[in-house]
Amino acid sequence: LVTATLNIFDEFYSIKFISLLGNLFEENFGFKFPRPLVTAPFLFLTLFLLIDFRKKISEKINYKYFFSLSILLGFLLNGFFYYFLIIITEIVIIYILYFRKNFFLSIKRNIDKIILLSLLILVVTLPLLFQFYYGEKDYGIRLGLVEPNITQRVVLAKYFVSNLIRPPVLLLLLFCFLLKIYSNKKYYKDKRNTLDIFFYFFVSSILTTLIFILFSPKIMSLYNFINIIIFSVILYILVC
């Protein structure tokens, strides 16, 4: 609905901002196969499951929940791995923030769930890893994979950060953080937990991009990360 509305506005009003928003939502909500027609439902199903992640990680082990989460992660990995990396970062952030007061004790108490989820994630990553290591040698070249040196990584990281602190972007990021503070004060716990999932998705998209630039053995198509960051900001503002 949002995509269609923006496209209609774009047809009547030649406004660059509306056109950019239309393209952004088209890439994440549109009907292009396989992305986003297939990957978008998997993304939002995963975010839906993460709403209960804090509760599930604290309770008796729920195999159905962890198997469902890992299967969705597997679909994300093979459909659009950028989403997969961001969701993994989000899971880590949620866990650390939830158990920040007794972090190491929580690891000991929840070691069975952590091991189970880690093993399941490893299993779903095996097909893609097998494809990378045993597939055609020029497969990575066709995907646009490059191996930057340390200097190039630092330059890319600086460029990424410098764009984040540009006044328009910085104001938008600040607005999201203000919304987070406002939602913490206004809404009851369940509503806050739901909104937090979208907020952490936004934060994770920024952190994952920086981690990917600095530590990934090979990098490719960084503009996809940028699009997801902008999309996550707009999405969080809309759900608030």
Side-chain angles (χ1 to χ4, degrees):
L1 179 60
V2 175
T3 303
T5 303
L6 289 171
N7 285 337
I8 292 172
F9 270 102
D10 190 36
E11 289 182 10
F12 285 95
Y13 303 100
S14 181
I15 301 175
K16 185 178 180 181
F17 179 70
I18 292 178
S19 179
L20 289 173
L21 282 181
N23 292 335
L24 181 66
F25 277 90
E26 185 68 31
E27 290 180 7
N28 292 277
F29 277 128
F31 298 99
K32 184 179 179 181
F33 182 85
R35 184 179 71 86
L37 184 60
V38 175
T39 56
F42 291 138
L43 171 64
F44 286 99
L45 282 172
T46 306
L47 292 173
F48 176 76
L49 283 183
L50 288 184
I51 294 173
D52 290 328
F53 181 76
R54 285 179 282 197
K55 182 173 71 174
K56 297 297 183 183
I57 201 72
S58 301
E59 296 175 346
K60 184 178 178 181
I61 193 166
N62 186 323
Y63 292 100
K64 182 180 179 180
Y65 176 83
F66 287 107
F67 274 104
S68 300
L69 181 59
S70 62
I71 289 171
L72 286 172
L73 287 171
F75 283 130
L76 286 179
L77 175 64
N78 290 279
F80 194 49
F81 79 93
Y82 300 91
Y83 284 154
F84 171 82
L85 295 176
I86 291 169
I87 292 295
I88 292 296
T89 303
E90 183 173 7
I91 290 173
V92 174
I93 289 175
I94 293 171
Y95 187 91
I96 292 174
L97 291 178
Y98 186 65
F99 293 107
R100 59 185 179 276
K101 293 182 180 179
N102 300 292
F103 179 71
F104 294 104
L105 181 60
S106 72
I107 292 178
K108 182 178 180 181
R109 289 176 176 174
N110 300 307
I111 190 65
D112 55 342
K113 302 167 195 132
I114 294 173
I115 291 176
L116 174 63
L117 184 58
S118 300
L119 288 175
L120 290 173
I121 291 174
L122 177 62
V123 169
V124 299
T125 61
L126 287 178
L128 189 64
L129 292 175
F130 184 85
Q131 186 177 7
F132 270 116
Y133 283 99
Y134 297 102
E136 298 178 11
K137 292 183 178 180
D138 62 344
Y139 179 69
I141 298 175
R142 295 202 305 270
L143 290 177
L145 287 172
V146 295
E147 298 182 51
N149 56 40
I150 296 177
T151 303
Q152 292 170 328
R153 290 179 188 276
V154 172
V155 170
L156 284 171
K158 286 182 177 180
Y159 180 76
F160 173 67
V161 173
S162 67
N163 278 277
L164 283 181
I165 59 177
R166 288 167 54 197
V169 179
L170 200 58
L171 285 174
L172 196 58
L173 299 182
L174 180 60
F175 182 63
C176 287
F177 281 98
L178 291 176
L179 278 178
K180 174 69 168 67
I181 296 172
Y182 174 75
S183 65
N184 285 346
K185 293 182 178 180
K186 180 180 179 180
Y187 299 115
Y188 55 90
K189 185 177 180 181
D190 290 341
K191 178 69 173 179
R192 289 201 308 269
N193 288 343
T194 302
L195 293 177
D196 282 349
I197 294 303
F198 293 96
F199 177 77
Y200 295 141
F201 180 70
F202 144 63
V203 174
S204 300
S205 64
I206 296 176
L207 291 178
T208 304
T209 305
L210 195 57
I211 293 170
F212 186 76
I213 290 172
L214 292 175
F215 300 108
S216 175
K218 298 181 180 180
I219 63 176
M220 59 177 284
S221 304
L222 293 178
Y223 71 89
N224 284 318
F225 276 123
I226 307 302
N227 285 342
I228 294 173
I229 291 173
I230 300 172
F231 169 69
S232 66
V233 170
I234 302 300
L235 181 64
Y236 180 64
I237 292 173
L238 289 176
V239 297
C240 281

